[in-house]
Each structure stands twice: as C-alpha cells, then as structure tokens.
Amino acid sequence: MNPTYLIVETRSEPNIALIRLNRPKELNALNLELMAELRDTLKQLDQDDEVRAIVITGDDRAFAAGADIRQMSGKGAVDMLLIDQFSTWDTIKKIKKPLIAAVSGFALGGGNELVMHCDLVVASETAQFGQPEIKLGVIPGAGGTQRLTRQVGKVRAMEMMLTGEFISAHQALTWGLVNKVVPVELYLEEALNMARQLARQSPLAIRLAKEAVLKAHDTHLAEGLEFERKNFYLLFAGQDQKEGMQAFIEKRPPNFIGR
Ligand code: DAK
C-alpha cells in the first residue's frame, strides 16, 4: 500500500510506527480518501507483531482542521448515509495497539475527534482544540458530542460545541483532553518517548489494559452514538448545513435561517 495523504514510518525505530497526516495546504483536512488510508494503515499496523505503539501526528501548523468541508458541502442526508464514514471511524475505534496523538496547531472538528480516538495525547504549546461544526450549521459526527462530554464534562463540552470557540493547549490540559503540553520543538519527540515506554511493556497487558479502560469509558456510548448519528444525518437534509459550508468556501459569514 502506498498512501497519498499519509507518510508512514515503520522502519526507523523498532516497535514504533509513526503516521503523519499529509495534506498540509488544506491543514490536513480529513477527506474520505485520507480517512480510508488511515483506516487501512492502522488495520495493517494492528496486525504487525513488530509494532507495539503507534504515533499519529500532522505538522506544526495543524494536526487536522476537521473533515474536508469542500467534499462535504454539497452532500445530502442520503449521500452521507450511503458513504457510511462511520464504519471507517468504527474501525479506528477498534484498533488494539495503543495510539498516541502528537498534536500541534489546529485539532478541530473531526481532527479533535481523531485525537479523542487516541489513547494518549501530547500537545505542543501552540495546539488549539475545538468543535466548530456549529459554525457550519451542523454538529460533530464522529462521536464528539459523546466523547467530549465524557472527557471534559457537560458545561465545558457545551461551551466548545455551542460556541465553536477553540481552547488552548493549556486549557485542554486543565480540562483533561491531553496528557502533556510541551514546547513546539518537542511535541513529536515527547510522543515518541511515550511510545518507546509503552513498547517496553508486555504487548498483551497493554492491549488488555487499553480494552478495559475503553470499556469503562464507552459503556452506554453506543446508544449515545446512535443518537448523534441520526441528528447528524438530519442536518444534511436542511438548508443551514449547505449555507454554513458554502459560506466557509466563499470566505463570508453564514446567514442561517433555521430551516
Ligand atoms: N476542510 C477543507 N478545507 C479546509 C478546512 C477544512 N476543514 N480547514 C481549512 N481548510 C483550507 C482552507 O479552505 C484554506 O484553503 P485555501 O483557501 O488556501 O484553498 C486552507 O485550508 C488554509 O486555511 P485558512 O486560510 O482558513 O487558514 P487560517 O489560518 O486563516 O484559518 C482555520 C485556519 C483552521 C481557523 C480555518 O481554516 C477554519 O476555520 N477551518 C475550518 C475548521 C472547521 O470548521 N472544522 C470542522 C469541519 S466539520 C463524520 C466524521 C467527522 C465529521 C463529520 C462526519 N462522519 C463519520 C459522518 C467531521 C466534521 C468536521 O470536522
């Protein structure tokens, strides 16, 4: 497999794989093709006995600025249903090896949801986290309403999802979204250090520990996700989603009408 939108390094260090999201001009926006490559790469690494920990990163300017708005803007509810991106995210959710996010710059929308699919998070001091979907006339679609609320609590999740404002790396640390904040020159190295530490442990114990922590975190999550999915599709049947996304593309403020 030769990915177009990822750079995958498995050979530079024993037992550690590094995946770089690689659409720098689009701030690593997660188009369908990138997500498919990420899913397939993670599945492959999960089956590789040599790999014991996986680091996912972007670049200094952006981890990922969310799903690709241009690709999504013209879609209707039925298109979204047929594309069924949820199965891709479900596969990522089921990866057994530990995933470490090394985040610098923007981690927004689906980008922040991807961070929340990881098990440990190292942020640079320049990282910004947000769920700005509300500004596009939609809501998070990859589990954000459920996972963010579990991680930071109701009022903080409400603040992020209803205002769409970003939070800083230090705020994310205080709110429990990230493990560590380090200077921008160090975030990747720090994430790799964490990966090295995990790679020294028993892979089986790591796998079962991850599974058990996720069990505590995810109980009743399935029901919440179903609920979020229905609401997400519903918004693609309306006009505000079209307006919100078109306004972004045309670089103008949206005019929402509530229909
Ligand atoms: N999609 C497409 N292009 C994007 C993008 C995005 N999300 N974010 C940035 N870009 C592009 C910009 O359009 C611009 O392209 P050009 O105009 O140069 O061609 C380029 O990246 C650089 O961006 P800016 O010029 O805007 O850079 P600034 O530094 O001024 O601003 C920004 C950076 C991150 C504040 C701004 O770009 C921004 O607000 N971006 C959008 C952030 C956003 O709204 N993200 C949420 C997207 S919705 C699902 C799973 C997941 C999702 C949905 C469904 N299922 C499983 C069904 C997720 C949804 C989302 O994430």
Side-chain angles (χ1 to χ4, degrees), residues 111-159:
N112 191 42
E113 290 171 307
L114 181 57
V115 171
M116 290 190 286
H117 277 70
C118 293
D119 305 305
L120 294 164
V121 185
V122 178
S124 88
E125 283 168 342
T126 60
Q128 296 189 68
F129 300 81
Q131 296 291 159
E133 290 89 341
I134 201 82
K135 295 183 175 172
L136 301 169
V138 293
I139 63 171
T145 62
Q146 305 302 301
R147 288 196 179 86
L148 189 63
T149 307
R150 280 171 168 72
Q151 276 190 240
V152 304
K154 178 183 152 187
V155 296
R156 288 165 172 172
M158 286 287 188
E159 185 179 333

mmCIF file of all heavy atoms in Angstrom, residues 111-159:
data_model
loop_
_atom_site.group_PDB
_atom_site.id
_atom_site.type_symbol
_atom_site.label_atom_id
_atom_site.label_comp_id
_atom_site.label_asym_id
_atom_site.label_seq_id
_atom_site.Cartn_x
_atom_site.Cartn_y
_atom_site.Cartn_z
ATOM 1 N N GLY A 111 -10.855 16.480 13.433
ATOM 2 C CA GLY A 111 -9.460 16.421 13.906
ATOM 3 C C GLY A 111 -9.416 16.202 15.409
ATOM 4 O O GLY A 111 -8.653 15.361 15.914
ATOM 5 N N ASN A 112 -10.255 16.931 16.130
ATOM 6 C CA ASN A 112 -10.311 16.736 17.580
ATOM 7 C C ASN A 112 -10.937 15.374 17.907
ATOM 8 O O ASN A 112 -10.548 14.725 18.880
ATOM 9 C CB ASN A 112 -11.106 17.866 18.247
ATOM 10 C CG ASN A 112 -10.959 17.846 19.750
ATOM 11 O OD1 ASN A 112 -9.859 17.635 20.272
ATOM 12 N ND2 ASN A 112 -12.057 18.044 20.467
ATOM 13 N N GLU A 113 -11.881 14.952 17.073
ATOM 14 C CA GLU A 113 -12.481 13.629 17.302
ATOM 15 C C GLU A 113 -11.454 12.514 17.062
ATOM 16 O O GLU A 113 -11.442 11.505 17.763
ATOM 17 C CB GLU A 113 -13.725 13.456 16.408
ATOM 18 C CG GLU A 113 -14.872 14.352 16.879
ATOM 19 C CD GLU A 113 -16.035 14.394 15.917
ATOM 20 O OE1 GLU A 113 -15.816 14.672 14.719
ATOM 21 O OE2 GLU A 113 -17.181 14.146 16.336
ATOM 22 N N LEU A 114 -10.564 12.748 16.096
ATOM 23 C CA LEU A 114 -9.491 11.771 15.876
ATOM 24 C C LEU A 114 -8.554 11.748 17.094
ATOM 25 O O LEU A 114 -8.135 10.673 17.544
ATOM 26 C CB LEU A 114 -8.718 12.111 14.593
ATOM 27 C CG LEU A 114 -7.579 11.170 14.213
ATOM 28 C CD1 LEU A 114 -8.071 9.725 14.060
ATOM 29 C CD2 LEU A 114 -6.893 11.627 12.915
ATOM 30 N N VAL A 115 -8.254 12.923 17.630
ATOM 31 C CA VAL A 115 -7.437 12.984 18.851
ATOM 32 C C VAL A 115 -8.115 12.162 19.953
ATOM 33 O O VAL A 115 -7.465 11.393 20.671
ATOM 34 C CB VAL A 115 -7.234 14.452 19.314
ATOM 35 C CG1 VAL A 115 -6.593 14.503 20.693
ATOM 36 C CG2 VAL A 115 -6.391 15.223 18.306
ATOM 37 N N MET A 116 -9.441 12.305 20.051
ATOM 38 C CA MET A 116 -10.151 11.585 21.121
ATOM 39 C C MET A 116 -10.257 10.082 20.853
ATOM 40 O O MET A 116 -10.605 9.322 21.745
ATOM 41 C CB MET A 116 -11.543 12.194 21.349
ATOM 42 C CG MET A 116 -11.469 13.573 21.983
ATOM 43 S SD MET A 116 -13.073 14.198 22.523
ATOM 44 C CE MET A 116 -13.835 14.623 20.962
ATOM 45 N N HIS A 117 -9.966 9.652 19.631
ATOM 46 C CA HIS A 117 -9.881 8.211 19.350
ATOM 47 C C HIS A 117 -8.520 7.654 19.784
ATOM 48 O O HIS A 117 -8.318 6.447 19.768
ATOM 49 C CB HIS A 117 -10.089 7.916 17.863
ATOM 50 C CG HIS A 117 -11.535 7.834 17.469
ATOM 51 N ND1 HIS A 117 -12.368 8.925 17.443
ATOM 52 C CD2 HIS A 117 -12.307 6.778 17.088
ATOM 53 C CE1 HIS A 117 -13.574 8.551 17.057
ATOM 54 N NE2 HIS A 117 -13.571 7.255 16.832
ATOM 55 N N CYS A 118 -7.578 8.563 20.099
ATOM 56 C CA CYS A 118 -6.260 8.101 20.539
ATOM 57 C C CYS A 118 -6.275 7.892 22.055
ATOM 58 O O CYS A 118 -7.148 8.386 22.763
ATOM 59 C CB CYS A 118 -5.194 9.124 20.138
ATOM 60 S SG CYS A 118 -4.985 9.237 18.343
ATOM 61 N N ASP A 119 -5.274 7.155 22.544
ATOM 62 C CA ASP A 119 -5.271 6.769 23.964
ATOM 63 C C ASP A 119 -4.474 7.741 24.822
ATOM 64 O O ASP A 119 -4.750 7.905 26.003
ATOM 65 C CB ASP A 119 -4.699 5.356 24.089
ATOM 66 C CG ASP A 119 -5.475 4.408 23.192
ATOM 67 O OD1 ASP A 119 -6.708 4.355 23.336
ATOM 68 O OD2 ASP A 119 -4.874 3.757 22.313
ATOM 69 N N LEU A 120 -3.451 8.345 24.239
ATOM 70 C CA LEU A 120 -2.635 9.332 24.945
ATOM 71 C C LEU A 120 -2.447 10.509 23.992
ATOM 72 O O LEU A 120 -2.419 10.319 22.768
ATOM 73 C CB LEU A 120 -1.263 8.744 25.299
ATOM 74 C CG LEU A 120 -1.256 7.585 26.304
ATOM 75 C CD1 LEU A 120 0.079 6.859 26.259
ATOM 76 C CD2 LEU A 120 -1.535 8.107 27.710
ATOM 77 N N VAL A 121 -2.312 11.706 24.579
ATOM 78 C CA VAL A 121 -2.203 12.889 23.722
ATOM 79 C C VAL A 121 -1.091 13.804 24.239
ATOM 80 O O VAL A 121 -1.106 14.210 25.400
ATOM 81 C CB VAL A 121 -3.527 13.701 23.715
ATOM 82 C CG1 VAL A 121 -3.434 14.856 22.723
ATOM 83 C CG2 VAL A 121 -4.721 12.810 23.395
ATOM 84 N N VAL A 122 -0.142 14.117 23.357
ATOM 85 C CA VAL A 122 0.874 15.116 23.664
ATOM 86 C C VAL A 122 0.588 16.325 22.782
ATOM 87 O O VAL A 122 0.397 16.178 21.570
ATOM 88 C CB VAL A 122 2.297 14.592 23.357
ATOM 89 C CG1 VAL A 122 3.330 15.681 23.639
ATOM 90 C CG2 VAL A 122 2.595 13.347 24.166
ATOM 91 N N ALA A 123 0.531 17.505 23.404
ATOM 92 C CA ALA A 123 0.234 18.722 22.634
ATOM 93 C C ALA A 123 1.412 19.675 22.680
ATOM 94 O O ALA A 123 2.109 19.770 23.694
ATOM 95 C CB ALA A 123 -0.995 19.416 23.212
ATOM 96 N N SER A 124 1.603 20.393 21.593
ATOM 97 C CA SER A 124 2.572 21.490 21.628
ATOM 98 C C SER A 124 1.870 22.701 22.243
ATOM 99 O O SER A 124 0.633 22.772 22.257
ATOM 100 C CB SER A 124 3.069 21.821 20.223
ATOM 101 O OG SER A 124 2.216 22.764 19.611
ATOM 102 N N GLU A 125 2.662 23.661 22.706
ATOM 103 C CA GLU A 125 2.064 24.865 23.320
ATOM 104 C C GLU A 125 1.206 25.649 22.328
ATOM 105 O O GLU A 125 0.382 26.457 22.732
ATOM 106 C CB GLU A 125 3.183 25.783 23.847
ATOM 107 C CG GLU A 125 3.770 25.272 25.144
ATOM 108 C CD GLU A 125 5.052 25.987 25.533
ATOM 109 O OE1 GLU A 125 5.673 26.639 24.653
ATOM 110 O OE2 GLU A 125 5.447 25.872 26.700
ATOM 111 N N THR A 126 1.400 25.392 21.048
ATOM 112 C CA THR A 126 0.645 26.124 20.026
ATOM 113 C C THR A 126 -0.631 25.397 19.606
ATOM 114 O O THR A 126 -1.355 25.879 18.731
ATOM 115 C CB THR A 126 1.498 26.306 18.758
ATOM 116 O OG1 THR A 126 1.833 24.985 18.266
ATOM 117 C CG2 THR A 126 2.774 27.071 19.037
ATOM 118 N N ALA A 127 -0.906 24.251 20.216
ATOM 119 C CA ALA A 127 -2.087 23.481 19.783
ATOM 120 C C ALA A 127 -3.378 24.202 20.170
ATOM 121 O O ALA A 127 -3.438 24.876 21.204
ATOM 122 C CB ALA A 127 -2.049 22.085 20.403
ATOM 123 N N GLN A 128 -4.393 24.044 19.318
ATOM 124 C CA GLN A 128 -5.730 24.576 19.627
ATOM 125 C C GLN A 128 -6.742 23.486 19.326
ATOM 126 O O GLN A 128 -6.676 22.856 18.265
ATOM 127 C CB GLN A 128 -6.042 25.773 18.748
ATOM 128 C CG GLN A 128 -5.144 26.957 18.969
ATOM 129 C CD GLN A 128 -5.671 28.163 18.199
ATOM 130 O OE1 GLN A 128 -6.707 28.714 18.507
ATOM 131 N NE2 GLN A 128 -4.952 28.537 17.162
ATOM 132 N N PHE A 129 -7.671 23.306 20.240
ATOM 133 C CA PHE A 129 -8.660 22.237 20.099
ATOM 134 C C PHE A 129 -10.043 22.869 19.981
ATOM 135 O O PHE A 129 -10.346 23.842 20.672
ATOM 136 C CB PHE A 129 -8.617 21.317 21.323
ATOM 137 C CG PHE A 129 -7.274 20.664 21.510
ATOM 138 C CD1 PHE A 129 -6.229 21.341 22.122
ATOM 139 C CD2 PHE A 129 -7.046 19.374 21.040
ATOM 140 C CE1 PHE A 129 -4.983 20.743 22.283
ATOM 141 C CE2 PHE A 129 -5.795 18.771 21.191
ATOM 142 C CZ PHE A 129 -4.774 19.470 21.820
ATOM 143 N N GLY A 130 -10.890 22.278 19.137
ATOM 144 C CA GLY A 130 -12.238 22.837 19.025
ATOM 145 C C GLY A 130 -13.183 21.930 18.274
ATOM 146 O O GLY A 130 -12.767 21.025 17.548
ATOM 147 N N GLN A 131 -14.464 22.186 18.494
ATOM 148 C CA GLN A 131 -15.530 21.518 17.726
ATOM 149 C C GLN A 131 -16.360 22.632 17.086
ATOM 150 O O GLN A 131 -17.430 22.987 17.580
ATOM 151 C CB GLN A 131 -16.401 20.661 18.665
ATOM 152 C CG GLN A 131 -15.695 19.516 19.337
ATOM 153 C CD GLN A 131 -15.272 18.357 18.446
ATOM 154 O OE1 GLN A 131 -14.395 17.597 18.797
ATOM 155 N NE2 GLN A 131 -15.863 18.211 17.270
ATOM 156 N N PRO A 132 -15.852 23.219 15.990
ATOM 157 C CA PRO A 132 -16.521 24.390 15.412
ATOM 158 C C PRO A 132 -17.664 24.057 14.443
ATOM 159 O O PRO A 132 -18.129 24.944 13.726
ATOM 160 C CB PRO A 132 -15.378 25.088 14.668
ATOM 161 C CG PRO A 132 -14.462 23.989 14.279
ATOM 162 C CD PRO A 132 -14.594 22.900 15.305
ATOM 163 N N GLU A 133 -18.133 22.808 14.440
ATOM 164 C CA GLU A 133 -19.169 22.413 13.476
ATOM 165 C C GLU A 133 -20.390 23.315 13.520
ATOM 166 O O GLU A 133 -21.060 23.542 12.517
ATOM 167 C CB GLU A 133 -19.605 20.957 13.721
ATOM 168 C CG GLU A 133 -18.562 19.906 13.354
ATOM 169 C CD GLU A 133 -17.617 19.564 14.493
ATOM 170 O OE1 GLU A 133 -17.505 20.360 15.462
ATOM 171 O OE2 GLU A 133 -16.978 18.496 14.426
ATOM 172 N N ILE A 134 -20.692 23.846 14.723
ATOM 173 C CA ILE A 134 -21.892 24.686 14.885
ATOM 174 C C ILE A 134 -21.862 25.863 13.921
ATOM 175 O O ILE A 134 -22.883 26.310 13.415
ATOM 176 C CB ILE A 134 -22.008 25.161 16.361
ATOM 177 C CG1 ILE A 134 -23.432 25.572 16.699
ATOM 178 C CG2 ILE A 134 -21.039 26.286 16.714
ATOM 179 C CD1 ILE A 134 -24.326 24.452 17.029
ATOM 180 N N LYS A 135 -20.636 26.345 13.617
ATOM 181 C CA LYS A 135 -20.492 27.500 12.721
ATOM 182 C C LYS A 135 -20.789 27.120 11.273
ATOM 183 O O LYS A 135 -20.934 27.981 10.413
ATOM 184 C CB LYS A 135 -19.083 28.078 12.833
ATOM 185 C CG LYS A 135 -18.816 28.662 14.210
ATOM 186 C CD LYS A 135 -17.446 29.289 14.277
ATOM 187 C CE LYS A 135 -17.263 29.964 15.631
ATOM 188 N NZ LYS A 135 -15.896 30.425 15.853
ATOM 189 N N LEU A 136 -20.828 25.825 11.002
ATOM 190 C CA LEU A 136 -21.158 25.339 9.656
ATOM 191 C C LEU A 136 -22.611 24.893 9.590
ATOM 192 O O LEU A 136 -23.058 24.330 8.592
ATOM 193 C CB LEU A 136 -20.257 24.145 9.292
ATOM 194 C CG LEU A 136 -18.749 24.393 9.293
ATOM 195 C CD1 LEU A 136 -17.999 23.067 9.186
ATOM 196 C CD2 LEU A 136 -18.362 25.311 8.147
ATOM 197 N N GLY A 137 -23.321 25.037 10.690
ATOM 198 C CA GLY A 137 -24.728 24.615 10.719
ATOM 199 C C GLY A 137 -24.895 23.132 10.952
ATOM 200 O O GLY A 137 -25.953 22.569 10.632
ATOM 201 N N VAL A 138 -23.886 22.472 11.485
ATOM 202 C CA VAL A 138 -24.008 21.040 11.787
ATOM 203 C C VAL A 138 -23.501 20.761 13.213
ATOM 204 O O VAL A 138 -23.246 21.692 13.982
ATOM 205 C CB VAL A 138 -23.276 20.140 10.748
ATOM 206 C CG1 VAL A 138 -23.963 20.220 9.392
ATOM 207 C CG2 VAL A 138 -21.800 20.499 10.628
ATOM 208 N N ILE A 139 -23.393 19.485 13.532
ATOM 209 C CA ILE A 139 -22.877 19.088 14.852
ATOM 210 C C ILE A 139 -21.758 18.067 14.619
ATOM 211 O O ILE A 139 -21.609 17.556 13.508
ATOM 212 C CB ILE A 139 -23.996 18.467 15.735
ATOM 213 C CG1 ILE A 139 -24.553 17.172 15.114
ATOM 214 C CG2 ILE A 139 -25.105 19.482 15.980
ATOM 215 C CD1 ILE A 139 -25.503 16.393 16.028
ATOM 216 N N PRO A 140 -20.981 17.750 15.642
ATOM 217 C CA PRO A 140 -19.939 16.727 15.454
ATOM 218 C C PRO A 140 -20.552 15.404 14.979
ATOM 219 O O PRO A 140 -21.678 15.069 15.366
ATOM 220 C CB PRO A 140 -19.332 16.576 16.853
ATOM 221 C CG PRO A 140 -19.577 17.894 17.498
ATOM 222 C CD PRO A 140 -20.924 18.342 16.988
ATOM 223 N N GLY A 141 -19.800 14.689 14.124
ATOM 224 C CA GLY A 141 -20.345 13.464 13.537
ATOM 225 C C GLY A 141 -19.552 12.213 13.863
ATOM 226 O O GLY A 141 -19.983 11.109 13.565
ATOM 227 N N ALA A 142 -18.365 12.378 14.458
ATOM 228 C CA ALA A 142 -17.547 11.189 14.726
ATOM 229 C C ALA A 142 -17.420 10.960 16.234
ATOM 230 O O ALA A 142 -16.336 10.679 16.749
ATOM 231 C CB ALA A 142 -16.175 11.322 14.072
ATOM 232 N N GLY A 143 -18.528 11.142 16.909
ATOM 233 C CA GLY A 143 -18.558 10.811 18.339
ATOM 234 C C GLY A 143 -18.274 11.974 19.269
ATOM 235 O O GLY A 143 -18.267 11.807 20.490
ATOM 236 N N GLY A 144 -18.063 13.170 18.707
ATOM 237 C CA GLY A 144 -17.661 14.314 19.517
ATOM 238 C C GLY A 144 -18.633 14.661 20.633
ATOM 239 O O GLY A 144 -18.214 14.959 21.753
ATOM 240 N N THR A 145 -19.934 14.625 20.339
ATOM 241 C CA THR A 145 -20.893 15.030 21.386
ATOM 242 C C THR A 145 -20.804 14.088 22.586
ATOM 243 O O THR A 145 -20.982 14.509 23.724
ATOM 244 C CB THR A 145 -22.352 15.042 20.875
ATOM 245 O OG1 THR A 145 -22.728 13.722 20.471
ATOM 246 C CG2 THR A 145 -22.537 16.011 19.714
ATOM 247 N N GLN A 146 -20.503 12.833 22.318
ATOM 248 C CA GLN A 146 -20.460 11.845 23.403
ATOM 249 C C GLN A 146 -19.086 11.807 24.081
ATOM 250 O O GLN A 146 -18.977 11.867 25.301
ATOM 251 C CB GLN A 146 -20.796 10.458 22.848
ATOM 252 C CG GLN A 146 -22.135 10.425 22.120
ATOM 253 C CD GLN A 146 -23.292 10.865 22.998
ATOM 254 O OE1 GLN A 146 -23.547 10.273 24.036
ATOM 255 N NE2 GLN A 146 -23.997 11.921 22.590
ATOM 256 N N ARG A 147 -18.030 11.706 23.268
ATOM 257 C CA ARG A 147 -16.693 11.551 23.870
ATOM 258 C C ARG A 147 -16.239 12.824 24.576
ATOM 259 O O ARG A 147 -15.681 12.771 25.666
ATOM 260 C CB ARG A 147 -15.663 11.150 22.804
ATOM 261 C CG ARG A 147 -15.843 9.729 22.335
ATOM 262 C CD ARG A 147 -14.637 9.184 21.581
ATOM 263 N NE ARG A 147 -14.923 7.823 21.203
ATOM 264 C CZ ARG A 147 -15.577 7.476 20.094
ATOM 265 N NH1 ARG A 147 -15.975 8.403 19.250
ATOM 266 N NH2 ARG A 147 -15.825 6.203 19.835
ATOM 267 N N LEU A 148 -16.458 13.979 23.945
ATOM 268 C CA LEU A 148 -16.005 15.224 24.567
ATOM 269 C C LEU A 148 -16.724 15.432 25.901
ATOM 270 O O LEU A 148 -16.112 15.837 26.894
ATOM 271 C CB LEU A 148 -16.265 16.403 23.619
ATOM 272 C CG LEU A 148 -15.642 17.726 24.054
ATOM 273 C CD1 LEU A 148 -14.125 17.635 24.095
ATOM 274 C CD2 LEU A 148 -16.055 18.864 23.124
ATOM 275 N N THR A 149 -18.011 15.144 25.927
ATOM 276 C CA THR A 149 -18.774 15.332 27.168
ATOM 277 C C THR A 149 -18.245 14.427 28.265
ATOM 278 O O THR A 149 -18.086 14.851 29.413
ATOM 279 C CB THR A 149 -20.274 15.065 26.912
ATOM 280 O OG1 THR A 149 -20.681 15.861 25.812
ATOM 281 C CG2 THR A 149 -21.111 15.403 28.129
ATOM 282 N N ARG A 150 -17.944 13.186 27.901
ATOM 283 C CA ARG A 150 -17.365 12.275 28.903
ATOM 284 C C ARG A 150 -16.007 12.770 29.377
ATOM 285 O O ARG A 150 -15.645 12.624 30.525
ATOM 286 C CB ARG A 150 -17.192 10.883 28.310
ATOM 287 C CG ARG A 150 -18.468 10.073 28.296
ATOM 288 C CD ARG A 150 -18.248 8.800 27.485
ATOM 289 N NE ARG A 150 -19.328 7.865 27.667
ATOM 290 C CZ ARG A 150 -20.555 8.007 27.171
ATOM 291 N NH1 ARG A 150 -20.858 9.095 26.476
ATOM 292 N NH2 ARG A 150 -21.474 7.101 27.378
ATOM 293 N N GLN A 151 -15.229 13.338 28.459
ATOM 294 C CA GLN A 151 -13.862 13.724 28.831
ATOM 295 C C GLN A 151 -13.780 15.018 29.613
ATOM 296 O O GLN A 151 -13.016 15.122 30.563
ATOM 297 C CB GLN A 151 -12.972 13.810 27.580
ATOM 298 C CG GLN A 151 -12.440 12.447 27.211
ATOM 299 C CD GLN A 151 -11.373 12.503 26.147
ATOM 300 O OE1 GLN A 151 -11.550 11.923 25.095
ATOM 301 N NE2 GLN A 151 -10.274 13.184 26.397
ATOM 302 N N VAL A 152 -14.585 16.026 29.211
ATOM 303 C CA VAL A 152 -14.391 17.330 29.866
ATOM 304 C C VAL A 152 -15.572 17.726 30.741
ATOM 305 O O VAL A 152 -15.484 18.708 31.476
ATOM 306 C CB VAL A 152 -14.097 18.460 28.833
ATOM 307 C CG1 VAL A 152 -12.900 18.100 27.975
ATOM 308 C CG2 VAL A 152 -15.310 18.771 27.959
ATOM 309 N N GLY A 153 -16.689 16.981 30.669
ATOM 310 C CA GLY A 153 -17.868 17.327 31.465
ATOM 311 C C GLY A 153 -18.854 18.169 30.663
ATOM 312 O O GLY A 153 -18.506 18.743 29.621
ATOM 313 N N LYS A 154 -20.093 18.248 31.198
ATOM 314 C CA LYS A 154 -21.185 18.842 30.421
ATOM 315 C C LYS A 154 -20.971 20.308 30.039
ATOM 316 O O LYS A 154 -21.062 20.673 28.872
ATOM 317 C CB LYS A 154 -22.495 18.701 31.208
ATOM 318 C CG LYS A 154 -23.668 19.337 30.500
ATOM 319 C CD LYS A 154 -24.935 19.260 31.334
ATOM 320 C CE LYS A 154 -25.845 20.408 30.985
ATOM 321 N NZ LYS A 154 -27.014 20.505 31.843
ATOM 322 N N VAL A 155 -20.676 21.177 31.033
ATOM 323 C CA VAL A 155 -20.693 22.603 30.681
ATOM 324 C C VAL A 155 -19.516 22.978 29.771
ATOM 325 O O VAL A 155 -19.635 23.845 28.903
ATOM 326 C CB VAL A 155 -20.761 23.533 31.922
ATOM 327 C CG1 VAL A 155 -22.055 23.324 32.676
ATOM 328 C CG2 VAL A 155 -19.561 23.357 32.841
ATOM 329 N N ARG A 156 -18.383 22.294 29.970
ATOM 330 C CA ARG A 156 -17.244 22.590 29.089
ATOM 331 C C ARG A 156 -17.523 22.088 27.670
ATOM 332 O O ARG A 156 -17.200 22.757 26.685
ATOM 333 C CB ARG A 156 -15.987 21.940 29.652
ATOM 334 C CG ARG A 156 -15.495 22.659 30.896
ATOM 335 C CD ARG A 156 -14.505 21.842 31.667
ATOM 336 N NE ARG A 156 -13.905 22.632 32.737
ATOM 337 C CZ ARG A 156 -13.111 22.144 33.672
ATOM 338 N NH1 ARG A 156 -12.817 20.846 33.668
ATOM 339 N NH2 ARG A 156 -12.614 22.916 34.596
ATOM 340 N N ALA A 157 -18.135 20.900 27.594
ATOM 341 C CA ALA A 157 -18.486 20.360 26.271
ATOM 342 C C ALA A 157 -19.506 21.268 25.598
ATOM 343 O O ALA A 157 -19.416 21.559 24.391
ATOM 344 C CB ALA A 157 -19.036 18.940 26.410
ATOM 345 N N MET A 158 -20.472 21.731 26.373
ATOM 346 C CA MET A 158 -21.471 22.661 25.822
ATOM 347 C C MET A 158 -20.783 23.911 25.284
ATOM 348 O O MET A 158 -21.081 24.362 24.180
ATOM 349 C CB MET A 158 -22.474 23.079 26.909
ATOM 350 C CG MET A 158 -23.467 22.012 27.271
ATOM 351 S SD MET A 158 -24.687 21.783 25.967
ATOM 352 C CE MET A 158 -25.808 20.656 26.804
ATOM 353 N N GLU A 159 -19.861 24.449 26.083
ATOM 354 C CA GLU A 159 -19.156 25.669 25.666
ATOM 355 C C GLU A 159 -18.456 25.444 24.324
ATOM 356 O O GLU A 159 -18.576 26.236 23.393
ATOM 357 C CB GLU A 159 -18.151 26.067 26.757
ATOM 358 C CG GLU A 159 -17.457 27.385 26.491
ATOM 359 C CD GLU A 159 -16.487 27.743 27.622
ATOM 360 O OE1 GLU A 159 -16.701 27.302 28.780
ATOM 361 O OE2 GLU A 159 -15.505 28.450 27.327
#
